[in-house]
Amino acid sequence: MQLPSEQDYIQQISIDCVIFGYQHDQLHVLIPKLKFEGNFFALPSGFVLQDEDLDAAATRILQERTQISGVQLHQFYCFGKANRNSRAFMDLLIRLNPELDNLEQANRKEYDWFTRRFISVGYYALVDINKVIARKSDLDQSVAWRMIGQLPDMIMDHNHIVQRAIHSLRSSFDERLSAFELLPETFTMKELQKMYESIFEKQFPMNNFQKKILDMDVLERLEKKFTGAANKAPYVYRLKDNLRK
Amino acid sequence: MQLPSEQDYIQQISIDCVIFGYQHDQLHVLIPKLKFEGNFFALPSGFVLQDEDLDAAATRILQERTQISGVQLHQFYCFGKANRNSRAFMDLLIRLNPELDNLEQANRKEYDWFTRRFISVGYYALVDINKVIARKSDLDQSVAWRMIGQLPDMIMDHNHIVQRAIHSLRSSFDERLSAFELLPETFTMKELQKMYESIFEKQFPMNNFQKKILDMDVLERLEKKFTGAANKAPYVYRLKDNLRK
């Protein structure tokens, strides 16, 4: 197992990524399980190289974990409590990990920087869950999509970081047309409504919802396919040409 | 002149404060002029102590510069371009400042950390301009309130930081009831409208504006003072009791 080396990175700064996907009518977050005995979960995280833009570091971390590119990341908050350190976690890591346990005391010093206080910048991304090939880091045992209503307890303040990301996602959801990054290219009004209800954790009356969405003036309605049978299929929509990426 | 010492602070992290005040129907920002020959301006900035919460550091910097307390600071963005360093500025500082110029080369090393790349967390505050006693730092020649439409060119990306702060201020202006932090306790509808027009840099039709504000349901209208004369004075409003701080 190789931890990042001290010289290359800005000290005491980390990035935590909240990667949102949508499936089975539910918002999900990609969460690695760490490879130590017991159940330890942590957001996909990483550090910033000395000559690397903060945004570029976040993009790199996202790509390493999902194998997808071209996804927009949104910086949403910088977490700076003085007690943000992974000392307890690293003690555990050293206790549980045979490889680290065998290190000479001198070599352990290499990892000291890793246990200092870190200020962490939170980024979130909205991804098409079907395009993601989730990849483990050296520290991960597995990675899984987890429903926002059923997140595991994570280390440090990572659950709080997800809550902040959801808050930020909601507050700019319409402005950024975020829904359409999570849905396939075409969808019915009902599918769109279900997504909104999942993200905002509340019901929207159908007529109001449809009016609100159509008033945004961002969708085009596609022709129904003529099937010969009585056509009860719902209309299918997609984002207007000039708004698609 | 004393620069902060390396050991006490988190390396490569700074805080930049955008302090907004309102006077003469215009939004202003508190901007120090640095004490070197030529015109160098920079936002009030500072560093984070190793055992200090990020928010607490921002509050400390605000208090040092304004002598006011109890003001809420809003973190709005973390600036992380790889080229964010003050090397050019420090070269200038050393060239222009006689005291630094006389330092032995060895002693100059003390200031090296100061010239590295910094990731900076932006905070903005809304203050009652009449309560501020602006105080200079060791690096400042003077400090002044400057209209947002007429800001001087500042060092590094500080002008960009102010633009981001204004964007953030606007986007949560109603939700945070920000207007009422900038106005005196009582005000007329016209005064409030002028403030909105200054912040958003656009005109609001009077009737629409009044309706929008009254619909927010946050104001109480005070009784007009009976003066005996034909009473043409406008109504005076203030924030409802339970919303005042």
Side-chain angles (χ1 to χ4, degrees):
Chain A
M1 187 173 59
Q2 186 122 30
L3 290 177
S5 103
E6 174 165 0
Q7 286 77 16
D8 304 337
Y9 295 94
I10 297 185
Q11 302 298 293
Q12 301 189 268
I13 283 274
S14 60
I15 288 177
D16 286 306
C17 291
V18 181
I19 305 171
F20 289 116
Y22 182 75
Q23 64 183 359
H24 313 315
D25 300 338
Q26 294 289 336
L27 189 63
H28 286 64
V29 181
L30 190 67
I31 297 185
K33 182 172 185 296
L34 303 172
K35 59 153 79 144
F36 315 117
E37 283 180 62
N39 287 306
F40 295 96
F41 299 90
L43 289 172
S45 303
F47 306 105
V48 185
L49 291 162
Q50 284 290 357
D51 59 357
E52 185 180 44
D53 287 348
L54 187 62
D55 287 351
T59 301
R60 172 176 54 75
I61 294 163
L62 177 74
Q63 284 182 358
E64 284 167 4
R65 296 306 190 94
T66 63
Q67 311 294 298
I68 50 173
S69 56
V71 170
Q72 223 191 325
L73 277 146
H74 303 284
Q75 189 201 103
F76 62 93
Y77 199 71
C78 182
F79 299 87
K81 287 273 181 207
N83 64 2
R84 290 193 83 266
N85 69 63
S86 53
R87 216 162 294 145
F89 169 70
M90 284 299 287
D91 285 350
L92 185 90
L93 188 157
I94 288 171
R95 210 168 64 238
L96 296 176
N97 195 283
E99 194 182 340
L100 280 178
D101 212 27
N102 292 333
L103 286 177
E104 298 297 315
Q105 197 61 32
N107 286 341
R108 281 197 196 166
K109 278 232 156 71
E110 261 186 63
Y111 305 125
D112 275 357
W113 76 282
F114 204 74
T115 67
R116 297 190 76 183
R117 169 189 178 183
F118 271 83
I119 290 179
S120 194
V121 186
Y123 281 84
Y124 76 81
L126 304 167
V127 302
D128 181 343
I129 215 163
N130 300 307
K131 291 188 182 151
V132 169
I133 304 164
R135 207 167 75 172
K136 297 181 281 181
S137 81
D138 286 348
L139 290 178
D140 300 337
Q141 180 183 93
S142 58
V143 188
W145 288 102
R146 297 183 169 266
M147 279 171 46
I148 51 161
Q150 294 174 20
L151 297 183
D153 280 344
M154 288 182 275
I155 63 167
M156 295 171 66
D157 55 355
H158 287 196
N159 289 78
H160 170 65
I161 291 177
V162 174
Q163 290 312 312
R164 262 302 322 194
I166 292 172
H167 179 80
S168 179
L169 173 68
R170 286 177 183 161
S171 69
S172 59
F173 201 70
D174 286 340
E175 185 194 338
R176 286 183 173 155
L177 301 176
S178 301
F180 311 104
E181 296 187 43
L182 292 167
L183 283 174
E185 190 182 334
T186 62
F187 44 83
T188 65
M189 193 56 74
K190 194 173 170 189
E191 285 167 340
L192 184 59
Q193 180 168 351
K194 278 193 170 175
M195 150 163 297
Y196 265 81
E197 291 180 343
S198 143
I199 306 269
F200 287 91
E201 295 186 274
K202 66 176 181 185
Q203 308 290 307
F204 294 91
M206 195 175 72
N207 289 344
N208 289 6
F209 179 78
Q210 182 153 345
K211 180 175 183 323
K212 167 196 150 85
I213 294 295
L214 295 178
D215 283 353
M216 284 168 69
D217 194 28
V218 297
L219 296 186
E220 61 175 322
R221 196 172 80 179
L222 304 180
E223 289 303 314
K224 287 187 195 183
K225 228 190 237 163
F226 181 70
T227 60
N231 198 339
K232 289 195 176 172
Y235 280 108
V236 170
Y237 296 85
R238 72 172 170 196
L239 208 55
K240 281 184 175 177
D241 240 7
N242 57 329
L243 297 170
R244 285 206 298 276
K245 283 182 187 148
Chain B
M1 185 175 62
Q2 185 122 29
L3 290 176
S5 103
E6 174 165 359
Q7 287 77 16
D8 303 337
Y9 294 94
I10 296 185
Q11 302 299 294
Q12 300 189 268
I13 282 274
S14 60
I15 287 176
D16 286 306
C17 290
V18 181
I19 305 171
F20 290 116
Y22 182 75
Q23 65 183 359
H24 313 315
D25 300 338
Q26 294 288 336
L27 189 63
H28 287 64
V29 181
L30 190 68
I31 297 184
K33 182 172 187 293
L34 303 173
K35 60 153 77 144
F36 315 116
E37 283 180 63
N39 287 307
F40 295 96
F41 299 89
L43 289 172
S45 303
F47 306 104
V48 185
L49 292 163
Q50 283 290 358
D51 59 357
E52 183 180 46
D53 288 348
L54 187 63
D55 286 352
T59 301
R60 171 176 54 75
I61 294 163
L62 177 74
Q63 284 182 358
E64 282 167 6
R65 295 308 189 92
T66 62
Q67 311 295 299
I68 49 173
S69 56
V71 170
Q72 225 191 325
L73 277 146
H74 303 284
Q75 189 201 103
F76 61 93
Y77 200 71
C78 182
F79 299 87
K81 286 274 181 207
N83 64 3
R84 291 192 81 267
N85 70 63
S86 52
R87 216 163 295 143
F89 170 68
M90 283 300 286
D91 285 350
L92 184 90
L93 186 156
I94 288 171
R95 208 168 68 238
L96 295 177
N97 193 285
E99 194 180 340
L100 281 179
D101 213 26
N102 292 333
L103 286 177
E104 299 296 315
Q105 197 61 35
N107 286 342
R108 281 198 196 165
K109 278 233 157 71
E110 260 186 62
Y111 305 123
D112 275 357
W113 76 283
F114 204 74
T115 67
R116 297 190 75 183
R117 168 189 178 183
F118 271 82
I119 290 179
S120 194
V121 187
Y123 281 83
Y124 76 81
L126 304 167
V127 302
D128 180 343
I129 214 164
N130 299 306
K131 291 188 182 152
V132 169
I133 303 164
R135 207 167 76 172
K136 296 182 283 181
S137 80
D138 286 348
L139 290 177
D140 300 337
Q141 180 183 96
S142 58
V143 189
W145 288 102
R146 296 183 169 266
M147 278 170 47
I148 52 162
Q150 294 175 21
L151 297 182
D153 281 343
M154 288 182 275
I155 64 167
M156 295 170 66
D157 54 356
H158 287 195
N159 289 77
H160 169 65
I161 291 176
V162 174
Q163 290 313 313
R164 264 291 337 188
I166 292 171
H167 178 81
S168 178
L169 173 68
R170 285 177 184 162
S171 69
S172 59
F173 200 70
D174 286 340
E175 185 194 337
R176 286 183 172 154
L177 301 175
S178 301
F180 312 103
E181 296 187 41
L182 292 165
L183 283 174
E185 190 183 333
T186 62
F187 44 83
T188 66
M189 192 55 75
K190 194 174 170 189
E191 285 167 341
L192 185 59
Q193 180 168 352
K194 278 193 171 175
M195 151 164 296
Y196 265 81
E197 290 180 343
S198 142
I199 305 269
F200 287 90
E201 295 186 275
K202 66 176 182 185
Q203 308 290 307
F204 295 91
M206 194 175 74
N207 289 344
N208 288 5
F209 180 78
Q210 181 152 346
K211 180 175 182 325
K212 167 196 149 85
I213 295 295
L214 295 178
D215 283 353
M216 284 167 68
D217 193 27
V218 298
L219 296 186
E220 62 175 321
R221 196 172 79 178
L222 304 180
E223 289 303 314
K224 287 187 193 182
K225 229 192 244 165
F226 181 69
T227 60
N231 198 340
K232 289 193 175 171
Y235 280 108
V236 170
Y237 296 84
R238 71 174 170 195
L239 208 54
K240 281 185 175 176
D241 239 7
N242 57 329
L243 299 170
R244 286 206 299 276
K245 282 178 188 152

mmCIF file of all heavy atoms in Angstrom, chain B residues 12 16 23 33-34 55 67 72 79-80 82 115 126 131 139 150 155 158 160-162 184 186 190 208 219 221 241:
data_model
loop_
_atom_site.group_PDB
_atom_site.id
_atom_site.type_symbol
_atom_site.label_atom_id
_atom_site.label_comp_id
_atom_site.label_asym_id
_atom_site.label_seq_id
_atom_site.Cartn_x
_atom_site.Cartn_y
_atom_site.Cartn_z
ATOM 1 N N GLN B 12 0.186 27.749 3.150
ATOM 2 C CA GLN B 12 -0.427 27.806 1.816
ATOM 3 C C GLN B 12 -1.955 27.937 1.829
ATOM 4 O O GLN B 12 -2.620 27.633 0.856
ATOM 5 C CB GLN B 12 -0.002 26.577 0.978
ATOM 6 C CG GLN B 12 1.519 26.506 0.803
ATOM 7 C CD GLN B 12 1.947 25.444 -0.176
ATOM 8 O OE1 GLN B 12 2.218 24.312 0.203
ATOM 9 N NE2 GLN B 12 2.011 25.792 -1.458
ATOM 10 N N ASP B 16 -9.451 35.602 2.388
ATOM 11 C CA ASP B 16 -9.685 36.954 1.891
ATOM 12 C C ASP B 16 -11.097 37.376 2.265
ATOM 13 O O ASP B 16 -12.058 36.637 2.035
ATOM 14 C CB ASP B 16 -9.497 36.999 0.367
ATOM 15 C CG ASP B 16 -8.026 36.929 -0.028
ATOM 16 O OD1 ASP B 16 -7.260 37.766 0.482
ATOM 17 O OD2 ASP B 16 -7.657 36.057 -0.830
ATOM 18 N N GLN B 23 -23.658 52.989 1.743
ATOM 19 C CA GLN B 23 -23.842 54.411 2.053
ATOM 20 C C GLN B 23 -24.055 55.189 0.757
ATOM 21 O O GLN B 23 -23.651 54.737 -0.308
ATOM 22 C CB GLN B 23 -22.630 54.967 2.827
ATOM 23 C CG GLN B 23 -21.333 54.971 2.025
ATOM 24 C CD GLN B 23 -20.137 55.461 2.836
ATOM 25 O OE1 GLN B 23 -20.253 55.822 4.007
ATOM 26 N NE2 GLN B 23 -18.967 55.456 2.203
ATOM 27 N N LYS B 33 -5.143 50.187 1.115
ATOM 28 C CA LYS B 33 -4.092 50.543 0.166
ATOM 29 C C LYS B 33 -2.771 50.197 0.845
ATOM 30 O O LYS B 33 -2.527 50.598 1.988
ATOM 31 C CB LYS B 33 -4.168 52.041 -0.140
ATOM 32 C CG LYS B 33 -3.159 52.553 -1.151
ATOM 33 C CD LYS B 33 -3.505 54.013 -1.500
ATOM 34 C CE LYS B 33 -2.635 54.544 -2.625
ATOM 35 N NZ LYS B 33 -1.213 54.681 -2.258
ATOM 36 N N LEU B 34 -1.934 49.459 0.149
ATOM 37 C CA LEU B 34 -0.691 48.990 0.769
ATOM 38 C C LEU B 34 0.332 50.114 0.840
ATOM 39 O O LEU B 34 0.334 51.037 0.036
ATOM 40 C CB LEU B 34 -0.151 47.790 0.001
ATOM 41 C CG LEU B 34 -1.159 46.633 -0.083
ATOM 42 C CD1 LEU B 34 -0.656 45.534 -1.006
ATOM 43 C CD2 LEU B 34 -1.454 46.072 1.298
ATOM 44 N N ASP B 55 -13.622 29.316 10.164
ATOM 45 C CA ASP B 55 -14.585 30.406 10.388
ATOM 46 C C ASP B 55 -14.077 31.384 11.447
ATOM 47 O O ASP B 55 -14.263 32.598 11.326
ATOM 48 C CB ASP B 55 -15.932 29.845 10.862
ATOM 49 C CG ASP B 55 -16.702 29.176 9.729
ATOM 50 O OD1 ASP B 55 -16.270 29.276 8.569
ATOM 51 O OD2 ASP B 55 -17.740 28.544 10.019
ATOM 52 N N GLN B 67 -12.994 46.434 13.934
ATOM 53 C CA GLN B 67 -13.318 46.659 15.351
ATOM 54 C C GLN B 67 -14.774 46.343 15.678
ATOM 55 O O GLN B 67 -15.297 46.850 16.668
ATOM 56 C CB GLN B 67 -13.013 48.109 15.775
ATOM 57 C CG GLN B 67 -11.649 48.592 15.378
ATOM 58 C CD GLN B 67 -10.564 47.821 16.102
ATOM 59 O OE1 GLN B 67 -10.485 47.845 17.315
ATOM 60 N NE2 GLN B 67 -9.748 47.103 15.347
ATOM 61 N N GLN B 72 -22.038 38.312 11.054
ATOM 62 C CA GLN B 72 -21.945 37.003 10.433
ATOM 63 C C GLN B 72 -21.103 37.057 9.166
ATOM 64 O O GLN B 72 -21.269 37.961 8.334
ATOM 65 C CB GLN B 72 -23.348 36.512 10.088
ATOM 66 C CG GLN B 72 -23.535 35.055 10.481
ATOM 67 C CD GLN B 72 -24.799 34.485 9.913
ATOM 68 O OE1 GLN B 72 -25.798 35.191 9.804
ATOM 69 N NE2 GLN B 72 -24.772 33.219 9.544
ATOM 70 N N PHE B 79 -10.553 29.778 -3.626
ATOM 71 C CA PHE B 79 -9.833 30.119 -4.853
ATOM 72 C C PHE B 79 -8.530 29.319 -4.910
ATOM 73 O O PHE B 79 -7.677 29.478 -4.037
ATOM 74 C CB PHE B 79 -9.576 31.621 -4.908
ATOM 75 C CG PHE B 79 -10.865 32.410 -4.904
ATOM 76 C CD1 PHE B 79 -11.488 32.764 -3.710
ATOM 77 C CD2 PHE B 79 -11.490 32.751 -6.096
ATOM 78 C CE1 PHE B 79 -12.697 33.454 -3.701
ATOM 79 C CE2 PHE B 79 -12.682 33.437 -6.099
ATOM 80 C CZ PHE B 79 -13.291 33.790 -4.897
ATOM 81 N N GLY B 80 -8.393 28.489 -5.943
ATOM 82 C CA GLY B 80 -7.292 27.525 -5.907
ATOM 83 C C GLY B 80 -6.470 27.389 -7.175
ATOM 84 O O GLY B 80 -5.877 26.332 -7.407
ATOM 85 N N ALA B 82 -3.419 27.302 -9.548
ATOM 86 C CA ALA B 82 -2.036 26.943 -9.220
ATOM 87 C C ALA B 82 -1.105 28.164 -9.252
ATOM 88 O O ALA B 82 -0.077 28.187 -8.575
ATOM 89 C CB ALA B 82 -1.527 25.870 -10.172
ATOM 90 N N THR B 115 5.563 33.648 0.150
ATOM 91 C CA THR B 115 5.545 33.839 -1.313
ATOM 92 C C THR B 115 5.148 32.562 -2.064
ATOM 93 O O THR B 115 5.179 32.532 -3.281
ATOM 94 C CB THR B 115 6.934 34.273 -1.831
ATOM 95 O OG1 THR B 115 7.839 33.177 -1.657
ATOM 96 C CG2 THR B 115 7.446 35.482 -1.084
ATOM 97 N N LEU B 126 -21.566 41.582 5.787
ATOM 98 C CA LEU B 126 -22.344 42.801 5.592
ATOM 99 C C LEU B 126 -22.296 43.572 6.893
ATOM 100 O O LEU B 126 -22.694 43.042 7.931
ATOM 101 C CB LEU B 126 -23.798 42.443 5.255
ATOM 102 C CG LEU B 126 -23.966 41.532 4.050
ATOM 103 C CD1 LEU B 126 -25.376 40.980 3.982
ATOM 104 C CD2 LEU B 126 -23.635 42.294 2.782
ATOM 105 N N LYS B 131 -20.717 51.727 12.061
ATOM 106 C CA LYS B 131 -20.152 51.117 13.269
ATOM 107 C C LYS B 131 -18.701 50.690 13.079
ATOM 108 O O LYS B 131 -18.039 50.277 14.021
ATOM 109 C CB LYS B 131 -20.984 49.902 13.669
ATOM 110 C CG LYS B 131 -22.373 50.275 14.179
ATOM 111 C CD LYS B 131 -23.088 49.065 14.743
ATOM 112 C CE LYS B 131 -24.490 49.453 15.200
ATOM 113 N NZ LYS B 131 -25.421 48.316 15.118
ATOM 114 N N LEU B 139 0.868 46.301 6.948
ATOM 115 C CA LEU B 139 1.218 46.481 5.535
ATOM 116 C C LEU B 139 0.443 47.618 4.871
ATOM 117 O O LEU B 139 0.714 47.962 3.735
ATOM 118 C CB LEU B 139 0.939 45.182 4.751
ATOM 119 C CG LEU B 139 1.838 43.975 5.017
ATOM 120 C CD1 LEU B 139 1.363 42.780 4.201
ATOM 121 C CD2 LEU B 139 3.289 44.300 4.672
ATOM 122 N N GLN B 150 -16.525 51.357 -8.722
ATOM 123 C CA GLN B 150 -15.263 52.095 -8.916
ATOM 124 C C GLN B 150 -14.129 51.498 -8.090
ATOM 125 O O GLN B 150 -13.370 52.217 -7.430
ATOM 126 C CB GLN B 150 -15.461 53.561 -8.522
ATOM 127 C CG GLN B 150 -16.415 54.304 -9.437
ATOM 128 C CD GLN B 150 -16.690 55.717 -8.937
ATOM 129 O OE1 GLN B 150 -15.929 56.296 -8.172
ATOM 130 N NE2 GLN B 150 -17.800 56.276 -9.387
ATOM 131 N N ILE B 155 -4.233 43.533 -6.249
ATOM 132 C CA ILE B 155 -3.195 42.535 -6.561
ATOM 133 C C ILE B 155 -3.838 41.159 -6.806
ATOM 134 O O ILE B 155 -4.955 40.903 -6.392
ATOM 135 C CB ILE B 155 -2.130 42.422 -5.442
ATOM 136 C CG1 ILE B 155 -2.775 41.907 -4.131
ATOM 137 C CG2 ILE B 155 -1.466 43.760 -5.189
ATOM 138 C CD1 ILE B 155 -1.739 41.475 -3.111
ATOM 139 N N HIS B 158 -7.765 39.536 -6.665
ATOM 140 C CA HIS B 158 -8.682 40.107 -5.676
ATOM 141 C C HIS B 158 -9.908 40.776 -6.296
ATOM 142 O O HIS B 158 -10.986 40.773 -5.692
ATOM 143 C CB HIS B 158 -7.926 41.045 -4.734
ATOM 144 C CG HIS B 158 -7.042 40.310 -3.758
ATOM 145 N ND1 HIS B 158 -6.499 40.869 -2.635
ATOM 146 C CD2 HIS B 158 -6.634 39.004 -3.745
ATOM 147 C CE1 HIS B 158 -5.780 39.972 -1.978
ATOM 148 N NE2 HIS B 158 -5.848 38.837 -2.639
ATOM 149 N N HIS B 160 -11.424 39.699 -8.960
ATOM 150 C CA HIS B 160 -12.265 38.541 -9.279
ATOM 151 C C HIS B 160 -12.953 38.020 -8.013
ATOM 152 O O HIS B 160 -14.141 37.645 -8.046
ATOM 153 C CB HIS B 160 -11.387 37.445 -9.904
ATOM 154 C CG HIS B 160 -12.063 36.122 -10.044
ATOM 155 N ND1 HIS B 160 -13.141 35.923 -10.880
ATOM 156 C CD2 HIS B 160 -11.839 34.927 -9.442
ATOM 157 C CE1 HIS B 160 -13.542 34.656 -10.793
ATOM 158 N NE2 HIS B 160 -12.767 34.034 -9.932
ATOM 159 N N ILE B 161 -12.244 38.027 -6.906
ATOM 160 C CA ILE B 161 -12.822 37.560 -5.638
ATOM 161 C C ILE B 161 -14.014 38.428 -5.251
ATOM 162 O O ILE B 161 -15.050 37.921 -4.810
ATOM 163 C CB ILE B 161 -11.732 37.540 -4.526
ATOM 164 C CG1 ILE B 161 -10.712 36.425 -4.823
ATOM 165 C CG2 ILE B 161 -12.354 37.355 -3.145
ATOM 166 C CD1 ILE B 161 -9.531 36.360 -3.851
ATOM 167 N N VAL B 162 -13.890 39.743 -5.434
ATOM 168 C CA VAL B 162 -15.016 40.631 -5.125
ATOM 169 C C VAL B 162 -16.215 40.318 -6.033
ATOM 170 O O VAL B 162 -17.358 40.261 -5.565
ATOM 171 C CB VAL B 162 -14.616 42.118 -5.268
ATOM 172 C CG1 VAL B 162 -15.835 43.022 -5.097
ATOM 173 C CG2 VAL B 162 -13.554 42.488 -4.241
ATOM 174 N N PRO B 184 -30.054 50.939 8.312
ATOM 175 C CA PRO B 184 -30.358 51.235 9.716
ATOM 176 C C PRO B 184 -31.656 50.519 10.120
ATOM 177 O O PRO B 184 -32.341 49.949 9.287
ATOM 178 C CB PRO B 184 -30.525 52.752 9.731
ATOM 179 C CG PRO B 184 -30.726 53.162 8.322
ATOM 180 C CD PRO B 184 -30.087 52.118 7.464
ATOM 181 N N THR B 186 -34.676 51.386 10.945
ATOM 182 C CA THR B 186 -35.906 51.760 10.251
ATOM 183 C C THR B 186 -35.569 52.416 8.923
ATOM 184 O O THR B 186 -34.513 53.045 8.759
ATOM 185 C CB THR B 186 -36.753 52.741 11.094
ATOM 186 O OG1 THR B 186 -35.990 53.933 11.281
ATOM 187 C CG2 THR B 186 -37.115 52.134 12.436
ATOM 188 N N LYS B 190 -38.793 53.317 -0.191
ATOM 189 C CA LYS B 190 -37.950 53.867 -1.250
ATOM 190 C C LYS B 190 -36.463 53.634 -0.954
ATOM 191 O O LYS B 190 -35.672 53.327 -1.855
ATOM 192 C CB LYS B 190 -38.224 55.374 -1.388
ATOM 193 C CG LYS B 190 -37.659 55.958 -2.661
ATOM 194 C CD LYS B 190 -38.066 57.409 -2.849
ATOM 195 C CE LYS B 190 -37.289 58.030 -3.987
ATOM 196 N NZ LYS B 190 -37.502 59.496 -4.051
ATOM 197 N N ASN B 208 -44.216 46.619 -8.296
ATOM 198 C CA ASN B 208 -43.740 45.235 -8.224
ATOM 199 C C ASN B 208 -42.810 45.044 -7.037
ATOM 200 O O ASN B 208 -42.889 44.057 -6.327
ATOM 201 C CB ASN B 208 -42.946 44.854 -9.485
ATOM 202 C CG ASN B 208 -43.857 44.709 -10.684
ATOM 203 O OD1 ASN B 208 -45.055 44.984 -10.587
ATOM 204 N ND2 ASN B 208 -43.288 44.291 -11.798
ATOM 205 N N LEU B 219 -41.504 42.352 7.231
ATOM 206 C CA LEU B 219 -41.450 43.740 7.709
ATOM 207 C C LEU B 219 -42.670 44.098 8.543
ATOM 208 O O LEU B 219 -43.764 43.588 8.326
ATOM 209 C CB LEU B 219 -41.381 44.705 6.518
ATOM 210 C CG LEU B 219 -40.145 44.631 5.627
ATOM 211 C CD1 LEU B 219 -40.187 45.753 4.595
ATOM 212 C CD2 LEU B 219 -38.878 44.725 6.465
ATOM 213 N N ARG B 221 -44.799 47.673 9.626
ATOM 214 C CA ARG B 221 -44.902 49.089 9.301
ATOM 215 C C ARG B 221 -45.136 49.857 10.592
ATOM 216 O O ARG B 221 -46.009 49.493 11.381
ATOM 217 C CB ARG B 221 -46.081 49.289 8.346
ATOM 218 C CG ARG B 221 -46.068 50.616 7.645
ATOM 219 C CD ARG B 221 -47.132 50.666 6.577
ATOM 220 N NE ARG B 221 -48.438 50.923 7.162
ATOM 221 C CZ ARG B 221 -49.551 51.049 6.442
ATOM 222 N NH1 ARG B 221 -49.517 50.932 5.112
ATOM 223 N NH2 ARG B 221 -50.716 51.273 7.014
ATOM 224 N N ASP B 241 -39.989 41.808 14.717
ATOM 225 C CA ASP B 241 -39.330 41.550 15.996
ATOM 226 C C ASP B 241 -38.516 40.247 16.026
ATOM 227 O O ASP B 241 -37.337 40.253 16.384
ATOM 228 C CB ASP B 241 -40.398 41.450 17.094
ATOM 229 C CG ASP B 241 -40.157 42.499 18.160
ATOM 230 O OD1 ASP B 241 -39.265 43.351 17.957
ATOM 231 O OD2 ASP B 241 -40.857 42.466 19.180
#
